[in-house]
Amino acid sequence: MSGRTFIGMPAFPEAAARAVGDERLRANLRHATRTIRDKRAAAVAELDDWALLRRAGKEIKDRALRHLDTYLLRLEERVTAAGGVVHWAVDAAEANRVVTGLVRATGEREVVKVKSMATQEIGLNEALAAEGITAYETDLAELIVQLGEDRPSHILVPAIHRNRGEIRDIFRARMADWGRPAPDGLTDSPAELAEAARLHLREKFLRAKVGVSGANFMVAETGTLVVVESEGNGRMCLTLPETLISVVGIEKVVPSWRDLEVFLQTLPRSSTAERMNPYTSMWTGTTDADGPSAFHLVLLDNGRTAALADEVGRQALRCIRCSACLNVCPVYERAGGHAYGSVYPGPIGAILTPLLRGTTSALDASLPYASSLCGACYEVCPVAIDIPEVLVHLRERVAGQGGHRRESAAVRAATWLLDHPRALAAAERLAVRTRRAHPARPPGSGAWTGGRDLPELPERSFRDWWAEHRT
């Protein structure tokens, strides 16, 4: 992973400490996440069979992952039969080479883009720019991020860290550099901001010959790709250009058209708290006189096969990018998305990024610790990803590679002590007798006690109390 994965950023604790000190950022995040969280809870409560839909989504994704090779080959066959061309990319570099080559072959020097985390993951915009090709983001939030030379902070709402006043200032200062300038006297009214973006983007839609997208789902049975969105800008990119290039992670495949029905119920409620998406676009290859005349599908691995080989971690590949876990996470609400150093922030990013990139860098090794393990993320996940389980699993991996030597030594010592009851009882009695002499912050515990207080030891151990009171 490269480009917008922000390799080189500080480890999560350092980046989060800076973010927590930004009062405006915290206010923006608090307002946005709580609003989305409350609306989602109400939308989900409308369905009596939500638990069944959740289990069905989990089972469908697990079946697809167990037989991923079969379904991907079936998908390729169906897309090809429908007039599309399928390309396989083992990593970000290969995916970028394929896409830039396809754009160059058209002779065009600009593309319009549907919101796509996969293209952010591989740094496609930067790769295109290096070849003299300009990529225009058309999703409103992605437009704000691009104009502000910023980074996305949320899966669903990339500009969640910006308020209306900041967005107005960005539009006024930067729109002219990218095309049609902001209207004179632009205020921070949502209607005026939306209209300014609409006017700015309209000329790009009408002249663009190449569109680039991702996809929320790929249906192996028919070769159909699906994009769900709220604004309609994505549909403009999917239908108006002559050439459409879609970059999609291999885990986005679902076996059948009927399987898609489950996710079209759970995704909108979990993400935007809507009963259904305002715009659900589906296409299968090419059709004469309707939509793009050339369609290319780039199937992206970029670490997904390695994640699939991890028996515990592979469940992260079920993710349908709804962002529900971000909106309930107390850590994300205070630190924001930039602290995670990846296009995948929040609880899902804390497991998905290390699974895709590995845990060799300080940043990636720190991400499994960016959680209180409260479990709220698991409770809201529409495909039942047990994020706390994977976090603990990845912490074990980091400790095993020497990333946390003190923690590893402490775990080994505790393991021995718990295996020897007499030694444990003696240690408990000694700890109780010397409790008044214990320092508030034992040596080497700064990382733990910097954000929490150690509990006070009781005057007697439970073991001694039980021995006295049991009958």
Side-chain angles (χ1 to χ4, degrees):
M1 298 170 75
S2 60
R4 291 198 174 190
T5 49
F6 325 132
I7 292 176
M9 281 189 62
F12 180 84
E14 182 182 343
R18 288 203 298 265
V20 168
D22 186 334
E23 294 185 5
R24 182 167 64 175
L25 172 66
R26 291 185 63 178
N28 293 347
L29 290 168
R30 181 169 59 250
H31 172 73
T33 56
R34 292 182 182 182
T35 299
I36 299 172
R37 181 166 69 228
D38 292 344
K39 289 182 177 179
R40 177 208 169 273
V44 167
E46 294 177 351
L47 294 182
D48 294 335
D49 61 347
W50 179 260
L52 295 176
L53 286 168
R54 184 175 189 246
R55 186 172 70 186
K58 171 185 179 295
E59 292 175 353
I60 290 167
K61 294 293 283 186
D62 281 348
R63 184 170 75 252
L65 292 172
R66 280 196 305 271
H67 306 288
L68 189 58
D69 54 346
T70 298
Y71 291 124
L72 287 174
L73 291 174
R74 186 174 303 167
L75 175 75
E76 180 184 32
E77 178 185 330
R78 300 295 191 271
V79 170
T80 303
V85 180
V86 176
H87 310 262
W88 299 79
V90 69
D91 56 20
E94 185 172 6
N96 286 330
R97 284 196 301 272
V98 169
V99 176
T100 54
L102 291 171
V103 177
R104 281 201 309 267
T106 68
E108 295 297 315
R109 287 297 173 182
E110 62 181 29
V111 303
V112 289
K113 288 186 65 204
V114 184
K115 180 181 182 296
S116 164
M117 300 203 72
T119 60
Q120 291 173 348
E121 174 188 325
I122 64 176
L124 178 61
N125 287 11
E126 293 80 4
L128 290 170
E131 297 293 329
I133 301 166
T134 303
Y136 294 112
E137 297 289 351
T138 64
D139 174 82
L140 176 57
E142 290 288 1
L143 173 66
I144 295 165
V145 169
Q146 185 175 54
L147 294 179
E149 297 182 343
D150 201 351
R151 302 188 303 270
S153 182
H154 192 275
I155 289 176
L156 178 67
V157 193
I160 196 172
H161 56 294
R162 297 292 194 183
N163 60 36
R164 295 184 311 186
E166 292 175 286
I167 295 169
R168 174 204 58 209
D169 294 342
I170 290 171
F171 280 10
R172 285 176 173 176
R174 296 303 312 280
M175 269 189 168
D177 298 335
W178 287 80
R180 180 170 180 153
D184 293 336
L186 179 66
T187 73
D188 65 357
S189 160
E192 288 192 29
L193 294 173
E195 179 65 12
R198 186 177 298 112
L199 294 172
H200 178 81
L201 292 171
R202 181 68 52 163
E203 61 181 20
K204 294 178 171 54
F205 290 137
L206 294 178
R207 73 167 183 256
K209 302 296 183 183
V210 181
V212 174
S213 83
N216 294 95
F217 306 101
M218 303 181 292
V219 182
E221 179 183 36
T222 59
T224 302
L225 273 70
V226 183
V227 164
V228 295
E229 50 155 340
S230 298
E231 299 172 9
N233 293 337
R235 180 165 293 178
M236 301 285 276
C237 298
L238 296 168
T239 57
L240 291 178
E242 296 172 359
T243 299
L244 175 60
I245 305 167
S246 298
V247 182
V248 190
I250 56 176
E251 82 281 12
K252 294 296 186 72
V253 68
V254 296
S256 71
W257 188 261
R258 186 173 183 178
D259 294 329
L260 183 63
E261 173 193 358
V262 173
F263 302 110
L264 292 184
Q265 295 182 73
T266 57
L267 177 56
R269 290 177 186 269
S270 289
S271 56
T272 56
E274 295 168 302
R275 295 179 180 91
M276 66 180 292
N277 288 94
Y279 296 91
T280 300
S281 301
M282 306 181 186
W283 69 98
T284 307
T286 59
T287 303
D288 291 340
D290 184 16
S293 57
F295 169 57
H296 297 269
L297 171 60
V298 181
L299 293 173
L300 177 69
D301 188 323
N302 206 37
R304 287 158 175 78
T305 299
L308 186 63
D310 187 319
E311 293 185 1
V312 176
R314 68 175 57 146
Q315 60 185 296
L317 297 179
R318 293 185 208 140
C319 178
I320 57 174
R321 310 291 192 265
C322 70
S323 77
C325 62
L326 281 69
N327 300 323
V328 299
C329 178
V331 177
Y332 175 86
E333 182 181 316
R334 289 156 179 80
H338 292 163
Y340 293 82
S342 168
V343 299
Y344 303 112
I348 187 62
I351 62 172
L352 187 59
T353 300
L355 285 166
L356 296 180
R357 292 201 307 218
T359 54
T360 55
S361 73
L363 170 61
D364 295 330
S366 72
L367 289 178
Y369 296 85
S371 170
S372 64
L373 299 180
C374 69
C377 50
Y378 171 63
E379 295 299 324
V380 300
C381 178
V383 286
I385 301 171
D386 193 340
I387 293 178
E389 178 187 32
V390 184
L391 286 167
V392 172
H393 168 67
L394 291 172
R395 290 180 185 187
E396 292 174 351
R397 178 187 298 180
V398 173
Q401 67 190 25
H404 292 266
R405 292 184 177 86
R406 289 196 184 101
E407 178 180 319
S408 182
V411 168
R412 287 197 299 271
T415 300
W416 183 89
L417 196 60
L418 293 170
D419 281 341
H420 296 79
R422 291 184 179 179
L424 177 61
E428 288 173 349
R429 287 192 289 271
L430 178 62
V432 167
R433 291 169 185 166
T434 60
R435 67 190 185 92
R436 298 189 183 280
H438 295 175
R441 293 189 175 185
S445 68
W448 178 265
T449 58
R452 56 180 66 80
D453 296 325
L454 289 176
E456 292 186 8
L457 285 174
E459 294 183 358
R460 62 191 310 192
S461 69
F462 175 79
R463 184 189 301 270
D464 290 343
W465 180 92
W466 179 254
E468 180 180 333
H469 287 84
R470 68 181 178 179
T471 56

